[in-house]
Amino acid sequence: MSDTTTAVVEKASEPLFSSKNRKLVVDPLDDNNPITVQVLGICSALAVTTQVEPALVMSLCVVAVMAVSNLTVSLIRNIMPGRIRMIIQLLVIATLVTVVDQLLKAFVYDLSKELSVFIGLIITNCIVMGRLEAFAMANKPWPSFLDGIGNGLGYGAILILVAAIRELFGFGTLLGWKLLTPDTAIGGFLADIGYVNNGIMTTSAAAMFIIGVLIWIQRGRNTKLVDIS
Amino acid sequence: MKFLRNFLETIEPKMAGNKYLHTIYDGFATFLFAPNSTTSEGVHIRDGIDLKRTMVTVVMALQLCLLFGMFNIGHQHYTAYGLYPGLGEAIFTKLAYGFLQLLPIIIVAHVVGLGIEFFFAAKKGHPIEEGFLVTGMLIPLIVPPDIPLWMLAIAVAFAVIIGKEAFGGTGMNIVNVALTARVFLFFAYPTEISGDTCWVAYDYNILHNIFGMGAATLQELGQTVVPDGGMKKLLVDSFSGATPLALAAKGGWSAVADQFTLQSLFVGDIPGSVGETSKIAVIIGALMLIVTGIASWRIMLSMIVGAAFMGFFINMFGGYLSTEVFGFATANPFFAVPWYYHLIMGSFLFAMAFMATDPVTAAQTMQGKLIYGFLIGCVGIIVRVLNPAFPEGWMLAILFMNVFAPLIDHWVYSKNIKRRLARANG
């Protein structure tokens, strides 16, 4: 985890969106992606990606939790005793996740039932804790906030990509829109020539394969990510 | 032969410029003629045979299965409509039907698989690796005869990319590539590769359309047009298309014996995957592999012992355990099927001869092979008998044990090291 730490030089007057700060948001989308490069948060990436809608909501929740928890921990980082910092970080995350969980239950009850335990499990999502330890504990609030958003977005991007592939080929729909089901024009034509949905795509194994192939493609394109150790 | 060699020599310089073309050229040239290049560093020759000849021997051992498989596709097709029910009737018509049904499957498996193999070889700058010769021959033999070709293409692509190339190509794969293709089909498109209706080719194929044999067949059936709902409307009533294993799962051995004689189980004029039905052809292929030393007799023998042991165990205690210990109302009728019939039902022998013995994915040590084979036998029978969702267990048992093979080898190695250390120190 230590290699992901980006020490931001603390200057008195730095513009809000300086190139360094922009890098904090953009980097986790590709070169420092939490899922495909740091290989964190795989558990929920396998579980909630059967369809796009839950994946989208899950990503939003993680972005919110990460941004706010990074901000909070960064604010109190200097008054926090080192020996109990883990417990305090966990407390912050748990509080935020409970808030998010209650909000979902209040406003989108069906989705919250579908996501069930995985919202609660954001607490144990390695990405959140990892960024708190690796970044927020050593940086000022604003960069920490951006880092939280960046990593949440990087996580969400992979989640949504995987979910889109799985939903399209497993169910023939995308975000609930019927694209390849037999009652549409394209789907009807495909059904006539014998197309059927792929059963593997509805199982978690498919997410494993897709994430594996994504990692393969990314490292094939960008050889500096290849770890030869 | 001379002109072929001259031809290769004349086109060689043209191919050398482009890396993709050169890979293809190199693959075919070394396939046709033994290459005259020699190893530049130290050599470790144990046997003069190279990988291509090894693979070709396996392909030859498969030919009888393939030939009988073609005949059986035709035989099942015509029998389903009540035509030519005798095994010796209209052999050439049946062979021609089966050939035309199987040819597209073979072509698709090879074009997709070799295409991916060639692409990765050129990309990595390797010569083409020969592993796909056997895989490409095995895949058509382990699928139902009317599998949709696009599904086959996706399954082959998946198996070669994820099962093999991701691990580093031929010789590096952890799981058997042909079985990976089949397991993909099984979980992605279960209706096409399980149940009672998929094991016989019911449709007209190109043979009927081109040679007008469809009209002749319809006349013999007393029809002039194909009815609504297709050819399946014309099936004779007594034909179900169920495999012996599906029958055994429903009604035990007596249900199998009602439909099939022991002789037909052995000869192979029964519904099933293309290559596995004929036990005679498989046994001849297995003997070829044992005599040439390509496949390990240890794995085959211990797999038979494992299957027989587990079959016997279930015969003895299966009924007791399920009713008395686990409290089911009745015992599964499959429990009572005598253990020796397990050995000639389904694809046990085919899996034993050609799948479990795959030298790359099997255990490598002598003791490891015995353990590996025995466990495949046990697990396969457990899946076959106990799990109603999977009528046949060898595909899953072999893939499962493929993953454990390195662990078994590791255990054998470390046991040996410990034993010798104890001897040296003691």
Side-chain angles (χ1 to χ4, degrees), chain B residues 390-423:
Chain B
F390 304 118
E392 181 60 303
W394 305 108
M395 168 178 74
L396 297 167
I398 292 175
L399 287 175
F400 188 66
M401 290 314 298
N402 278 169
V403 178
F404 279 95
L407 189 69
I408 297 172
D409 278 338
H410 177 76
W411 179 75
V412 173
Y413 286 142
S414 38
K415 192 171 65 95
N416 200 28
I417 290 170
K418 258 187 221 146
R419 188 173 55 82
R420 297 186 58 159
L421 267 180
R423 197 170 59 195

Side-chain angles (χ1 to χ4, degrees), chain A residues 204-223:
Chain A
S204 308
M208 199 80 220
F209 292 131
I210 295 169
I211 291 176
V213 170
L214 285 178
I215 292 177
W216 191 2
I217 293 171
Q218 193 188 12
R219 297 191 181 194
R221 250 187 34 225
N222 188 350
T223 45

Side-chain angles (χ1 to χ4, degrees), chain B residues 267-423:
Chain B
V267 173
D269 53 332
I270 50 174
S273 294
V274 175
E276 48 87 3
T277 57
S278 172
K279 308 302 175 271
I280 296 176
V282 174
I283 289 171
I284 293 174
L287 288 178
M288 272 179 73
L289 290 182
I290 292 176
V291 169
T292 51
I294 304 273
S296 157
W297 60 267
R298 283 183 179 82
I299 294 176
M300 297 197 198
L301 186 71
S302 61
M303 195 169 151
I304 293 177
V305 173
F309 166 77
M310 194 38 86
F312 185 72
F313 180 84
I314 287 173
N315 282 169
M316 291 289 109
F317 304 110
Y320 172 77
L321 285 177
S322 73
T323 52
E324 305 293 323
V325 180
F326 298 111
F328 290 110
T330 53
N332 183 339
F334 217 149
F335 287 168
V337 175
W339 59 270
Y340 38 86
Y341 289 137
H342 274 300
L343 304 183
I344 55 164
M345 278 197 296
S347 59
F348 171 72
L349 287 175
F350 189 86
M352 177 200 78
F354 299 109
M355 294 299 181
T357 57
D358 174 2
V360 176
T361 55
Q364 307 290 321
T365 52
M366 296 291 175
Q367 275 181 32
K369 282 177 183 169
L370 291 175
I371 300 169
Y372 168 82
F374 184 81
L375 288 177
I376 292 179
C378 291
V379 174
I381 292 287
I382 290 175
V383 176
R384 176 191 271 191
V385 176
L386 295 183
N387 193 334
F390 304 118
E392 181 60 303
W394 305 108
M395 168 178 74
L396 297 167
I398 292 175
L399 287 175
F400 188 66
M401 290 314 298
N402 278 169
V403 178
F404 279 95
L407 189 69
I408 297 172
D409 278 338
H410 177 76
W411 179 75
V412 173
Y413 286 142
S414 38
K415 192 171 65 95
N416 200 28
I417 290 170
K418 258 187 221 146
R419 188 173 55 82
R420 297 186 58 159
L421 267 180
R423 197 170 59 195

Side-chain angles (χ1 to χ4, degrees), chain A residues 193-200 209 213 216, chain B residues 120 150-151 158 161-162 166 184 187-189:
Chain A
I193 59 172
Y195 177 82
V196 282
N197 288 330
N198 188 323
I200 284 188
F209 292 131
V213 170
W216 191 2
Chain B
F120 274 95
W150 68 271
M151 289 181 189
F158 175 84
I161 294 174
I162 305 280
F184 180 88
F187 286 108
Y189 308 107

Side-chain angles (χ1 to χ4, degrees), chain B residues 32-233:
Chain B
L32 293 168
F33 296 103
N36 58 2
S37 57
T38 52
T39 313
S40 53
E41 292 164 15
V43 286
H44 308 278
I45 293 183
R46 291 198 291 185
D47 193 342
I49 191 167
D50 73 354
L51 194 55
K52 278 197 173 95
R53 312 304 143 194
T54 315
M55 297 295 184
V56 166
T57 314
V58 183
V59 172
M60 281 177 186
L62 284 168
Q63 291 311 305
L64 203 57
C65 295
L66 187 73
L67 197 65
F68 190 86
M70 283 180 193
F71 166 76
N72 193 39
I73 295 171
H75 182 66
Q76 295 301 324
H77 171 76
Y78 287 109
T79 313
Y81 297 112
L83 301 171
Y84 321 127
L87 200 56
E89 284 176 65
I91 287 181
F92 289 103
T93 315
K94 290 173 182 175
L95 257 182
Y97 178 87
F99 175 72
L100 289 172
Q101 190 73 19
L102 198 56
L103 190 65
I105 296 181
I106 298 178
I107 291 175
V108 167
H110 277 88
V111 167
V112 175
L114 282 177
I116 293 170
E117 193 108 328
F118 278 29
F119 173 76
F120 274 95
K123 193 101 180 146
K124 292 181 190 162
H126 291 174
I128 288 169
E129 289 156 335
E130 301 80 355
F132 198 76
L133 286 179
V134 172
T135 310
M137 212 65 244
L138 281 171
I139 288 173
L141 294 179
I142 56 175
V143 294
D146 58 352
I147 187 85
L149 296 175
W150 68 271
M151 289 181 189
L152 188 77
I154 293 177
V156 172
F158 175 84
V160 175
I161 294 174
I162 305 280
K164 191 156 94 179
E165 296 301 340
F167 289 100
T170 302
M172 312 292 264
N173 47 316
I174 291 173
V175 291
N176 188 310
V177 182
L179 286 179
T180 311
R182 194 177 197 278
V183 89
F184 180 88
L185 282 175
F186 189 86
F187 286 108
Y189 308 107
T191 52
E192 299 295 333
I193 194 167
S194 57
D196 287 349
T197 54
C198 69
W199 304 109
V200 175
Y202 295 106
D203 298 334
Y204 277 11
N205 67 14
I206 190 170
L207 177 77
H208 299 82
N209 296 331
I210 292 182
F211 302 106
M213 290 176 79
T217 320
L218 284 174
Q219 264 174 16
E220 288 181 54
L221 289 169
Q223 296 270 338
T224 45
V225 286
V226 179
D228 272 356
M231 287 292 283
K232 283 189 186 175
K233 278 276 174 64

